[in-house]
Amino acid sequence: MLHDDTIFHKLYKPVKKLLPVKIAGFFRSFFTACITPFYFSYLNGHFKSSFKNKSISRTGEPLPWYTYPMIDFLRTRLFVDKTILEFGGGQSTLWWATQAKRIISFEDDKDWFEILTKKIPTNVELFYITKDSREKSLKEVSAILDQLAIPAFDIVIIDGLSREDMINVACSVVSPNGAILCDNAEGYGFYESFKEREFKRIDFFGHAPGVIFPHCTSIYFRMNNFLFDPHLLIPTRK
């Protein structure tokens, strides 16, 4: 959508013609300041997510609980032949299920695991990990991954469990041209754990569905990563 094709610009055009330039400019600035936050909240589903207390689009479809800049970035990429590993299941699991070939997800909240089990489609394998101790959780994750014997994952998401412990696991199983997505990347030791590794990083800072304060979702990747193909079109808002 072109910026001058929105309903707001169409409504402003007659005002601009009828009123003096300074007064018309004042009305434009005033309504821009007032309307933009509400329009953003409606357009992205932030408004609905806030009331439903879950991450959804404005039409009620599941969204990952990442920042909106990250969600918009991922929407423009193709994952139809990709295998995803997720530490921390939820709305993101349901979203990835519509995008990717196969999803392996680990969750350590028993109640949420049982709810999510009833919703996941056939291309998702969801595993419950106990929270008795960090060491036990790590052993359970490693044992399941060994049993699955998947050579490498195209995308690994760290958004749950003991994030610090999952960093080493993620780095060992991500494919050479794959990527690791870290939500709430400003914490959980992500910076300290990755700074001596060979990964590059891009930060997607902004608001997330139903959340007041902005935070950061980051991508760690190696060279020749499939997410950054320069031939992909630059997206526009529809």
Side-chain angles (χ1 to χ4, degrees):
M1 176 184 290
L2 297 176
H3 290 303
D4 57 358
D5 285 340
T6 67
I7 186 173
F8 306 112
H9 289 86
K10 290 177 181 178
L11 290 173
Y12 176 68
K13 284 181 180 178
V15 174
K16 185 178 180 180
K17 291 179 180 179
L18 292 173
L19 296 178
V21 174
K22 287 187 178 180
I23 297 178
F26 169 79
F27 275 103
R28 181 187 182 282
S29 299
F30 178 80
F31 283 107
T32 297
C34 294
I35 291 173
T36 298
F38 295 100
Y39 185 59
F40 167 86
S41 187
Y42 162 75
L43 190 67
N44 291 286
H46 184 274
F47 186 85
K48 184 169 286 188
S49 297
S50 300
F51 282 95
K52 295 289 186 179
N53 196 30
K54 58 182 179 180
S55 184
I56 53 178
S57 68
R58 68 176 182 272
T59 57
E61 299 300 317
L63 286 179
W65 225 317
Y66 315 147
T67 61
Y68 282 117
M70 174 64 83
I71 294 172
D72 288 337
F73 173 79
L74 294 175
R75 276 173 169 160
T76 65
R77 270 57 188 169
L78 294 177
F79 301 97
V80 291
D81 61 342
K82 305 302 182 184
T83 302
I84 312 299
L85 174 61
E86 185 182 45
F87 298 122
Q91 292 293 94
S92 58
T93 310
L94 302 178
W95 183 83
W96 280 109
T98 67
Q99 307 294 317
K101 180 180 179 181
R102 185 181 184 187
I103 296 89
I104 308 299
S105 184
F106 293 97
E107 177 55 48
D108 62 3
D109 185 308
K110 185 65 173 177
D111 293 335
W112 180 234
F113 169 81
E114 292 177 352
I115 292 172
L116 194 56
T117 299
K118 300 174 184 178
K119 297 181 177 182
I120 56 175
T122 56
N123 64 334
V124 175
E125 297 163 71
L126 179 65
F127 298 92
Y128 174 66
I129 302 299
T130 59
K131 292 194 291 186
D132 296 343
S133 69
R134 290 175 55 179
E135 292 77 11
K136 185 176 180 180
S137 297
L138 181 58
K139 287 181 179 179
E140 290 180 6
V141 168
S142 299
I144 293 171
L145 289 176
D146 288 342
Q147 184 178 0
L148 290 171
I150 298 173
F153 293 88
D154 300 294
I155 297 289
V156 181
I157 300 108
I158 305 177
D159 192 21
L161 279 66
S162 175
R163 287 170 167 86
E164 298 93 329
D165 295 328
M166 295 304 109
I167 293 172
N168 283 332
V169 178
C171 292
S172 67
V173 298
V174 68
S175 67
N177 68 335
I180 302 172
L181 274 61
C182 302
D183 197 28
N184 303 110
E186 64 273 24
Y188 297 102
F190 286 124
Y191 173 76
E192 292 79 6
S193 296
F194 275 101
K195 68 179 181 179
E196 300 299 330
R197 302 176 190 263
E198 74 274 23
F199 291 88
K200 298 181 182 297
R201 188 188 82 218
I202 294 180
D203 301 323
F204 294 78
F205 191 87
H207 286 84
V211 177
I212 295 177
F213 298 108
H215 68 272
C216 186
T217 308
S218 296
I219 294 179
Y220 288 89
F221 62 98
R222 301 184 181 99
M223 295 298 291
N224 302 319
N225 183 271
F226 76 93
L227 291 174
F228 303 104
D229 184 348
H231 297 97
L232 292 170
L233 295 175
I234 297 175
T236 57
R237 171 66 67 185
K238 294 183 179 180

